[in-house]
Amino acid sequence: MRNLIELVGRLVMHFLTEMGRVSFLFYNVLKKIISLPVEWQIIAEQMIAVGIRSIPVVLITALFTGMVLALQTYTGFRRFGAESLVGTVVALSMTREMGPVLTALIVAGRAGAAMAAELGTMRVTEQIDALETLATDPVKYLVVPRFLSGIVMLPALAVLTDIVGILGGYIITVGLFGVGSTSYWKRTWDYLKMDDVYNGLIKACFFGAFISIISCYKGFYTSGGAEGVGKATTGAVVLSSMSILIGDYFLSVWLF
Amino acid sequence: MIRVVDLHKSFGDKKVLDGVNLEINDCESVVVIGGSGSGKSVLIKNVIGLMKPDKGSVFIDDVDIAGIDNMDKLNEIRKKFGMLFQYAALFDSMKVWENVAFALLRLHRLSEYEARAIAIEKLKSVGLVDVEDLMPAELSGGMKKRVGLARAIAHDPEILIFDEPTTGLDPIMADVIDRLIISVRKELKATSITITHDMNSAYRTADRIAMLYNGKIIETGTPEEIRNTGNPTVRQFIEGRAEGPIHIEGAGNGKSLGRV
Ligand SMILES: Nc1ncnc2c1ncn2[C@@H]1O[C@H](COP(=O)(O)OP(=O)(O)O)[C@@H](O)[C@H]1O
Ligand SMILES: [Mg+2]
């Protein structure tokens, strides 16, 4: 029992110190975001890496999520004759919840891992030190562009997820179960408010910040050679995913 | 002129630097020798401001680099430096010429055309031609070091720092690198600090040799003075013996483990 308490205590302490150091990096990034010169080229490269390259997997995930949502909701709702509301449920779930969260989890696995591995390798091979000796601030040069691309690309991808998810729902409800096309769209638009979409996108924006800051932090403070880079990468994905799921709850409480 | 004054640095409860004092005059080449893990890299990282000492100062032309907190001011001083890293530390996402031209493009704001021309020129001065469009991963160890050297000198720095420039190279390539270091120093009229445990290299490139041991500089002198030193610790090191005042874990029974 004593050991258990000790273990929990240590884990909590570890988590809190980690969060403290992440916040410090975040503060540094905010301070440097506005300072000139703007690293346009690297920002563009990162936007492509985080945003454009994630599109295929995001599209496939969104389509199938929309489809399975429709499938399950239809099966359930038919029991009390509410088939016509399937479109509403799909649209609300996608925009408020599934769109931002799924997109974020995918980007954490793809781009977050890549950020941690890339910066981690640069750290253990002294490339980050080399940047400093060439009078270049590594936070501004490496972390700020990744942060910006995170907070811009996540909402953009979430919009895509929303649209494709709703289309997936349409395909199943209208194509498979034969619900009328007009009634599906009417139900979707009747109950969906723009606020649902906006709040989902605000969430996505936060998730983009979580992923990029946590992954950059893990990479930036890597030590211990190739093994350290592996640990940093795994750590980045785990911590980002946890922060997305936990953050999702609190953001939902705050926004809705 | 560089003055290291009473420099202390520990990691946890492990004391690495324990009061280092060292002066390096303008245009002088000082080579710091010492065993692996004796803190040579830590020392130069403090000199160039990559690490902050726990105590002590590093004066670069009378400015204490250890006392600067402002990143912009620090970067202003760093422009005086060029550093060659032990494993070259080339940016592996950039072509060779972009590595060499990094400071020219970013700090001196030259056009790509001008910067590329200078990069090719600098690569030629370290004996490399037709490599400018390769990626670092396509180069051998010796070539990487030379590209690293070209990058370190591209912006004509006043102070050059070399971290184990010959470690891991064959003896002929080591001699090539030593000669390059001597020639670029002359050309730039630069002050330099070189770290090594390769005594041949130290004798070839040093005006003065300083030995780091137990966190302190225990002896400095010209190569000739060091060669004839009476200090038993220094003697053991430069002759590469396992027995002596420097205690090496696992070197019992008189069986030599070779170099420290
Ligand atoms: N960032 C660091 N964190 C913890 N320990 C370090 C760090 N850098 C160096 N050390 C320790 O300091 C000692 C000296 O290292 P270093 O200066 O790299 O030795 P060398 O003389 O071979 O260059 C080593 O024992 C190393 O483990
Ligand atoms: Mg070293």
Side-chain angles (χ1 to χ4, degrees):
Chain A
M1 193 60 206
R2 178 115 174 255
N3 280 344
L4 189 70
I5 293 172
E6 226 177 88
L7 181 74
V8 171
R10 206 166 9 201
L11 281 176
V12 170
M13 280 309 291
H14 178 74
F15 184 74
L16 289 181
T17 11
E18 193 103 306
M19 277 306 160
R21 287 157 68 184
V22 170
S23 314
F24 181 70
L25 180 64
F26 180 55
Y27 165 74
N28 249 322
V29 166
L30 288 189
K31 233 176 32 183
K32 283 161 187 173
I33 238 170
I34 37 169
S35 70
L36 292 170
V38 181
E39 308 279 356
W40 293 115
Q41 199 194 335
I42 312 169
I43 293 175
E45 280 168 19
Q46 283 305 314
M47 296 235 170
I48 291 169
V50 173
I52 313 294
R53 300 237 166 85
S54 301
I55 288 178
V57 54
V58 162
L59 286 185
I60 292 170
T61 314
L63 183 69
F64 279 88
T65 308
M67 282 169 31
V68 81
L69 264 176
L71 201 67
Q72 298 283 28
T73 318
Y74 184 87
T75 317
F77 278 24
R78 199 178 44 184
R79 292 177 194 159
F80 44 90
E83 296 97 315
S84 60
L85 283 173
V86 170
T88 318
V89 172
V90 170
L92 286 182
S93 319
M94 284 312 294
T95 53
R96 295 172 69 122
E97 200 51 49
M98 304 299 254
V101 172
L102 279 178
T103 312
L105 289 175
I106 290 167
V107 172
R110 264 194 90 263
M115 286 179 196
E118 209 177 331
L119 297 201
T121 305
M122 290 188 76
R123 168 62 73 194
V124 301
T125 57
E126 296 186 308
Q127 290 177 54
I128 293 184
D129 287 341
L131 273 179
E132 286 200 57
T133 64
L134 292 162
T136 300
D137 179 348
V139 170
K140 178 155 173 53
Y141 185 78
L142 296 172
V143 185
V144 168
R146 284 169 173 77
F147 176 74
L148 286 175
S149 72
I151 60 173
V152 172
M153 287 326 251
L154 250 283
L157 287 170
V159 170
L160 215 59
T161 315
D162 291 352
I163 296 170
V164 175
I166 291 172
L167 272 178
Y170 175 85
I171 292 169
I172 291 299
T173 323
V174 177
L176 195 66
F177 297 127
V179 173
S181 171
T182 351
S183 111
Y184 182 89
W185 288 126
K186 183 165 172 0
R187 289 297 182 160
T188 300
W189 299 130
D190 275 357
Y191 292 103
L192 184 70
K193 290 184 289 181
M194 257 355 249
D195 273 1
D196 296 323
V197 179
Y198 292 150
N199 289 350
L201 297 187
I202 292 173
K203 270 188 185 177
C205 204
F206 272 92
F207 296 157
F210 293 168
I211 295 167
S212 52
I213 285 292
I214 289 171
S215 305
C216 285
Y217 161 80
K218 284 285 183 184
F220 207 78
Y221 295 102
T222 300
S223 61
E227 195 194 347
V229 176
K231 276 189 191 150
T233 310
T234 322
V237 176
V238 171
L239 200 60
S240 310
S241 307
M242 271 171 41
S243 75
I244 290 163
L245 296 171
I246 297 171
D248 181 44
Y249 174 78
F250 289 103
L251 285 168
S252 300
V253 171
W254 173 51
L255 288 168
F256 296 127
Chain B
M1 161 129 151
I2 303 169
R3 263 190 316 135
V4 178
V5 182
D6 194 32
L7 203 65
H8 287 75
K9 181 78 186 174
S10 305
F11 297 103
D13 45 12
K14 183 172 177 189
K15 259 191 198 152
V16 176
L17 302 181
D18 189 18
V20 171
N21 289 289
L22 186 64
E23 285 194 9
I24 298 148
N25 297 315
D26 285 339
C27 302
E28 191 183 24
S29 164
V30 167
V31 173
V32 177
I33 58 173
S36 298
S38 61
K40 304 184 298 292
S41 295
V42 171
L43 172 61
I44 45 164
K45 282 183 181 168
N46 278 288
V47 169
I48 196 169
L50 288 173
M51 269 183 197
K52 284 239 173 280
D54 302 332
K55 199 181 136 199
S57 314
V58 176
F59 293 99
I60 311 292
D61 301 330
D62 293 323
V63 182
D64 182 4
I65 198 169
I68 300 176
D69 283 324
N70 181 308
M71 198 72 178
D72 294 331
K73 277 189 196 148
L74 192 57
N75 282 339
E76 234 12 80
I77 296 189
R78 287 223 180 99
K79 288 180 188 170
K80 295 183 182 182
F81 283 91
M83 176 158 173
L84 170 59
F85 286 83
Q86 185 167 352
Y87 301 101
L90 301 180
F91 304 127
D92 43 32
S93 61
M94 292 177 206
K95 289 179 180 167
V96 163
W97 83 265
E98 291 171 316
N99 264 281
V100 177
F102 191 87
L104 301 172
L105 286 168
R106 293 183 50 82
L107 307 179
H108 300 262
R109 302 262 145 207
L110 296 191
S111 69
E112 281 212 3
Y113 181 80
E114 289 170 292
R116 189 182 152 96
I118 296 176
I120 291 174
E121 200 54 42
K122 295 282 176 182
L123 284 166
K124 208 182 280 169
S125 76
V126 297
L128 293 173
V129 282
D130 287 338
V131 296
E132 59 270 15
D133 289 314
L134 297 180
M135 298 304 280
E138 300 172 84
L139 305 176
S140 72
M143 286 163 94
K144 277 186 192 163
K145 283 246 162 115
R146 287 197 262 178
V147 174
L149 183 57
R151 182 177 71 182
I153 61 173
H155 53 294
D156 299 334
E158 300 163 31
I159 303 166
L160 288 168
I161 295 188
F162 304 110
D163 191 354
E164 309 218 4
T166 58
T167 304
L169 300 179
D170 64 68
I172 297 172
M173 185 54 73
D175 189 42
V176 169
I177 296 283
D178 283 342
R179 281 160 194 264
L180 283 173
I181 285 177
I182 293 167
S183 78
V184 300
R185 278 194 53 240
K186 262 198 199 125
E187 202 171 309
L188 293 174
K189 298 188 178 61
T191 311
S192 75
I193 309 178
T194 309
I195 278 177
T196 191
H197 49 227
D198 174 352
M199 285 315 297
N200 291 325
S201 170
Y203 292 139
R204 280 197 290 253
T205 56
D207 294 329
R208 209 147 49 89
I209 296 176
M211 173 144 175
L212 182 64
Y213 178 66
N214 265 354
K216 294 188 174 67
I217 299 291
I218 54 166
E219 179 144 331
T220 61
T222 63
E224 215 32 53
E225 286 165 353
I226 292 291
R227 225 191 275 267
N228 302 316
T229 180
N231 184 322
T233 312
V234 180
R235 282 229 75 81
Q236 184 195 349
F237 185 82
I238 62 178
E239 288 165 9
R241 281 181 287 108
E243 314 88 31
I246 304 175
H247 178 71
I248 303 288
E249 212 65 40
N253 305 333
K255 274 186 210 143
S256 170
L257 288 181
R259 259 177 203 268
V260 185

